Amino acid sequence: MREVLVGFTGSRTDEFVGAFYKGFSGTTSHRPALLHAGRDLFMFNTSVRWTDYSATALDPVDSRTFCTFQAFTDIEPGGPGGPFEPSPARWGTSVAIIKVAP
């Protein structure tokens, strides 16, 4: 059986942009899980390259362990701001190691 893990950022009308992951095992799809809740508003524009800081990889030694790097909105300045951004970009990167149960 193969396991797949997808990392992503997401939000709802009552949540700031946070970091999530969702697992798939065989034909079973698991509910999305929160890695790090967003903490503030994020003013998106085309000068901010949000997805440059998102990745999920399988551990080369252990086929049941994944590492995911996902962005979330933060209170403190963190990311590179663009020329049209009124204030520094405020985001952080969540790093998580997720082990899939056998």
Side-chain angles (χ1 to χ4, degrees):
M1 184 175 300
R2 298 214 180 247
E3 286 82 18
V4 175
L5 190 102
V6 178
F8 60 96
T9 55
S11 67
R12 296 183 190 121
T13 56
D14 59 344
E15 289 180 358
F16 299 123
V17 177
F20 294 85
Y21 73 93
K22 180 175 174 132
F24 302 87
S25 179
T27 59
T28 303
S29 173
H30 302 281
R31 296 180 60 103
L34 179 66
L35 291 170
H36 197 291
R39 297 172 52 185
D40 202 359
L41 294 174
F42 185 80
M43 302 303 290
F44 179 78
N45 63 52
T46 56
S47 67
V48 177
R49 298 179 61 172
W50 184 273
T51 58
D52 284 358
Y53 306 97
S54 176
T56 301
L58 181 63
D59 185 320
V61 178
D62 180 359
S63 64
R64 294 196 172 276
T65 301
F66 294 85
C67 186
T68 188
F69 306 85
Q70 301 303 321
F72 62 92
T73 56
D74 207 352
I75 295 169
E76 299 297 323
F84 304 108
E85 192 149 0
S87 61
R90 297 181 309 193
W91 56 269
T93 303
S94 173
V95 179
I97 296 174
I98 300 156
K99 186 149 183 99
V100 178

